[in-house]
Amino acid sequence: PIEYGQVAADGRSVPERALGPQRVTYPAGDSWSLLELRQGAPSLKQQDILGQQREVNERLDKLVRELQTQQQGSAALKKESKSQPTLDDRQVNRLALLREEVHDSGARLDALAKDMEVTPELRRLSRETNSVAEKEVREAESALQHGQFEKLSEARTRQFETAETNLAKAVEKLQDPRRESDKLAEARIQQFKIENLKDQQEQLAEKAKDAQP
């Protein structure tokens, strides 16, 4: 293993603004990064693909868990308030928090879609993820918002049911990009290996050509 660190520094000097030279180290403090060389380790390209796959999967899995929890929260509020003419203060606060959580999950889905968009092979997954954020999650958030102000319990119950249905659909639809993420990673690695083998064969052919008298 090789231990190493990085240092970035400049020589700026702006006395009138009390600005002097800057120096930044990575890792911070007295820590060191560790580089371990292993024979037969995956190439940097393969590691990059696997790293993207792992990040996408972890973020999708977390979002699915969030949406499932929010669906349960909507169901609980619906059940508790079904026979009430209006929500009590505690339920109003819970509903406001739930609506905020759904909004934040939609924003995280949008962010994930944008991050995937920069990789051409992941753009279809990006569109699928963005579609869930724009449709099901937004509609669930809207239903929860309307539910807070409904004067009749029947109307409020319908809004909670709409939120539940859309959150359940969001969870279901996110299973597709989650499965495709694994398939795409495997396909990208196989394509890289084919292209790498082709390059090696071309290099060998060039060397053999140059070696001819």
PDB file of all heavy atoms in Angstrom, residues 50 53 66 80 87 101 108 154 170 194-195 204:
ATOM      1  N   LEU A  50     -18.810   0.379 -11.832  1.00  0.00           N
ATOM      2  CA  LEU A  50     -19.333  -0.261 -10.630  1.00  0.00           C
ATOM      3  C   LEU A  50     -19.636   0.765  -9.540  1.00  0.00           C
ATOM      4  O   LEU A  50     -20.593   0.614  -8.779  1.00  0.00           O
ATOM      5  CB  LEU A  50     -18.342  -1.303 -10.118  1.00  0.00           C
ATOM      6  CG  LEU A  50     -18.155  -2.531 -11.021  1.00  0.00           C
ATOM      7  CD1 LEU A  50     -17.008  -3.400 -10.515  1.00  0.00           C
ATOM      8  CD2 LEU A  50     -19.446  -3.349 -11.090  1.00  0.00           C
ATOM      9  N   GLN A  53     -22.904   2.367 -10.469  1.00  0.00           N
ATOM     10  CA  GLN A  53     -23.988   1.413 -10.186  1.00  0.00           C
ATOM     11  C   GLN A  53     -24.300   1.386  -8.690  1.00  0.00           C
ATOM     12  O   GLN A  53     -25.472   1.446  -8.295  1.00  0.00           O
ATOM     13  CB  GLN A  53     -23.579   0.018 -10.647  1.00  0.00           C
ATOM     14  CG  GLN A  53     -24.592  -1.073 -10.288  1.00  0.00           C
ATOM     15  CD  GLN A  53     -23.981  -2.463 -10.362  1.00  0.00           C
ATOM     16  OE1 GLN A  53     -22.765  -2.616 -10.391  1.00  0.00           O
ATOM     17  NE2 GLN A  53     -24.826  -3.475 -10.382  1.00  0.00           N
ATOM     18  N   GLU A  66     -38.033   5.621   1.787  1.00  0.00           N
ATOM     19  CA  GLU A  66     -38.685   6.869   2.194  1.00  0.00           C
ATOM     20  C   GLU A  66     -40.138   6.904   1.727  1.00  0.00           C
ATOM     21  O   GLU A  66     -41.051   7.231   2.503  1.00  0.00           O
ATOM     22  CB  GLU A  66     -37.937   8.070   1.604  1.00  0.00           C
ATOM     23  CG  GLU A  66     -36.586   8.339   2.218  1.00  0.00           C
ATOM     24  CD  GLU A  66     -35.884   9.516   1.553  1.00  0.00           C
ATOM     25  OE1 GLU A  66     -36.521  10.191   0.717  1.00  0.00           O
ATOM     26  OE2 GLU A  66     -34.717   9.773   1.874  1.00  0.00           O
ATOM     27  N   GLU A  80     -56.884   7.430  11.269  1.00  0.00           N
ATOM     28  CA  GLU A  80     -57.132   8.153  12.512  1.00  0.00           C
ATOM     29  C   GLU A  80     -58.229   9.210  12.362  1.00  0.00           C
ATOM     30  O   GLU A  80     -59.017   9.434  13.278  1.00  0.00           O
ATOM     31  CB  GLU A  80     -55.852   8.834  12.993  1.00  0.00           C
ATOM     32  CG  GLU A  80     -54.791   7.894  13.494  1.00  0.00           C
ATOM     33  CD  GLU A  80     -53.518   8.642  13.854  1.00  0.00           C
ATOM     34  OE1 GLU A  80     -53.595   9.880  14.041  1.00  0.00           O
ATOM     35  OE2 GLU A  80     -52.457   8.007  13.938  1.00  0.00           O
ATOM     36  N   LEU A  87     -59.118  17.892  11.246  1.00  0.00           N
ATOM     37  CA  LEU A  87     -57.901  17.367  11.876  1.00  0.00           C
ATOM     38  C   LEU A  87     -57.597  18.163  13.141  1.00  0.00           C
ATOM     39  O   LEU A  87     -57.807  19.374  13.187  1.00  0.00           O
ATOM     40  CB  LEU A  87     -56.715  17.481  10.915  1.00  0.00           C
ATOM     41  CG  LEU A  87     -56.807  16.721   9.580  1.00  0.00           C
ATOM     42  CD1 LEU A  87     -55.583  17.028   8.729  1.00  0.00           C
ATOM     43  CD2 LEU A  87     -56.924  15.223   9.806  1.00  0.00           C
ATOM     44  N   GLU A 101     -41.842  15.955   3.729  1.00  0.00           N
ATOM     45  CA  GLU A 101     -40.994  14.795   3.454  1.00  0.00           C
ATOM     46  C   GLU A 101     -41.209  14.283   2.025  1.00  0.00           C
ATOM     47  O   GLU A 101     -40.247  13.901   1.343  1.00  0.00           O
ATOM     48  CB  GLU A 101     -41.290  13.686   4.465  1.00  0.00           C
ATOM     49  CG  GLU A 101     -40.809  14.004   5.873  1.00  0.00           C
ATOM     50  CD  GLU A 101     -41.283  12.990   6.894  1.00  0.00           C
ATOM     51  OE1 GLU A 101     -42.171  12.165   6.550  1.00  0.00           O
ATOM     52  OE2 GLU A 101     -40.783  13.013   8.041  1.00  0.00           O
ATOM     53  N   ARG A 108     -35.070  14.882  -4.191  1.00  0.00           N
ATOM     54  CA  ARG A 108     -33.931  13.954  -4.275  1.00  0.00           C
ATOM     55  C   ARG A 108     -34.018  13.071  -5.521  1.00  0.00           C
ATOM     56  O   ARG A 108     -32.984  12.729  -6.112  1.00  0.00           O
ATOM     57  CB  ARG A 108     -33.853  13.103  -3.009  1.00  0.00           C
ATOM     58  CG  ARG A 108     -33.243  13.838  -1.821  1.00  0.00           C
ATOM     59  CD  ARG A 108     -32.978  12.917  -0.652  1.00  0.00           C
ATOM     60  NE  ARG A 108     -34.179  12.631   0.096  1.00  0.00           N
ATOM     61  CZ  ARG A 108     -34.660  13.390   1.080  1.00  0.00           C
ATOM     62  NH1 ARG A 108     -34.050  14.509   1.401  1.00  0.00           N
ATOM     63  NH2 ARG A 108     -35.750  13.031   1.733  1.00  0.00           N
ATOM     64  N   GLU A 154     -65.045  12.805   4.275  1.00  0.00           N
ATOM     65  CA  GLU A 154     -65.026  11.943   3.093  1.00  0.00           C
ATOM     66  C   GLU A 154     -64.057  12.487   2.032  1.00  0.00           C
ATOM     67  O   GLU A 154     -63.291  11.722   1.426  1.00  0.00           O
ATOM     68  CB  GLU A 154     -66.430  11.821   2.498  1.00  0.00           C
ATOM     69  CG  GLU A 154     -67.434  11.106   3.373  1.00  0.00           C
ATOM     70  CD  GLU A 154     -68.080  12.025   4.390  1.00  0.00           C
ATOM     71  OE1 GLU A 154     -67.669  13.207   4.477  1.00  0.00           O
ATOM     72  OE2 GLU A 154     -68.989  11.565   5.101  1.00  0.00           O
ATOM     73  N   ALA A 170     -45.264   5.085  -7.228  1.00  0.00           N
ATOM     74  CA  ALA A 170     -43.879   5.560  -7.313  1.00  0.00           C
ATOM     75  C   ALA A 170     -42.906   4.461  -6.901  1.00  0.00           C
ATOM     76  O   ALA A 170     -41.890   4.221  -7.568  1.00  0.00           O
ATOM     77  CB  ALA A 170     -43.697   6.786  -6.422  1.00  0.00           C
ATOM     78  N   ILE A 194     -14.872  -5.874 -24.524  1.00  0.00           N
ATOM     79  CA  ILE A 194     -14.805  -6.146 -25.967  1.00  0.00           C
ATOM     80  C   ILE A 194     -13.968  -5.091 -26.671  1.00  0.00           C
ATOM     81  O   ILE A 194     -13.096  -5.404 -27.497  1.00  0.00           O
ATOM     82  CB  ILE A 194     -16.230  -6.201 -26.568  1.00  0.00           C
ATOM     83  CG1 ILE A 194     -16.968  -7.437 -26.055  1.00  0.00           C
ATOM     84  CG2 ILE A 194     -16.172  -6.208 -28.090  1.00  0.00           C
ATOM     85  CD1 ILE A 194     -18.438  -7.469 -26.420  1.00  0.00           C
ATOM     86  N   GLU A 195     -14.228  -3.827 -26.343  1.00  0.00           N
ATOM     87  CA  GLU A 195     -13.479  -2.744 -26.971  1.00  0.00           C
ATOM     88  C   GLU A 195     -12.003  -2.797 -26.577  1.00  0.00           C
ATOM     89  O   GLU A 195     -11.122  -2.538 -27.403  1.00  0.00           O
ATOM     90  CB  GLU A 195     -14.080  -1.397 -26.566  1.00  0.00           C
ATOM     91  CG  GLU A 195     -15.474  -1.160 -27.140  1.00  0.00           C
ATOM     92  CD  GLU A 195     -16.112   0.109 -26.616  1.00  0.00           C
ATOM     93  OE1 GLU A 195     -15.497   0.755 -25.732  1.00  0.00           O
ATOM     94  OE2 GLU A 195     -17.210   0.465 -27.088  1.00  0.00           O
ATOM     95  N   LEU A 204      -1.378  -5.472 -31.308  1.00  0.00           N
ATOM     96  CA  LEU A 204      -0.546  -6.632 -31.639  1.00  0.00           C
ATOM     97  C   LEU A 204      -0.338  -6.743 -33.142  1.00  0.00           C
ATOM     98  O   LEU A 204       0.762  -7.082 -33.613  1.00  0.00           O
ATOM     99  CB  LEU A 204      -1.195  -7.915 -31.103  1.00  0.00           C
ATOM    100  CG  LEU A 204      -1.163  -8.103 -29.579  1.00  0.00           C
ATOM    101  CD1 LEU A 204      -1.992  -9.313 -29.183  1.00  0.00           C
ATOM    102  CD2 LEU A 204       0.284  -8.269 -29.107  1.00  0.00           C
TER     103      LEU A 204
END
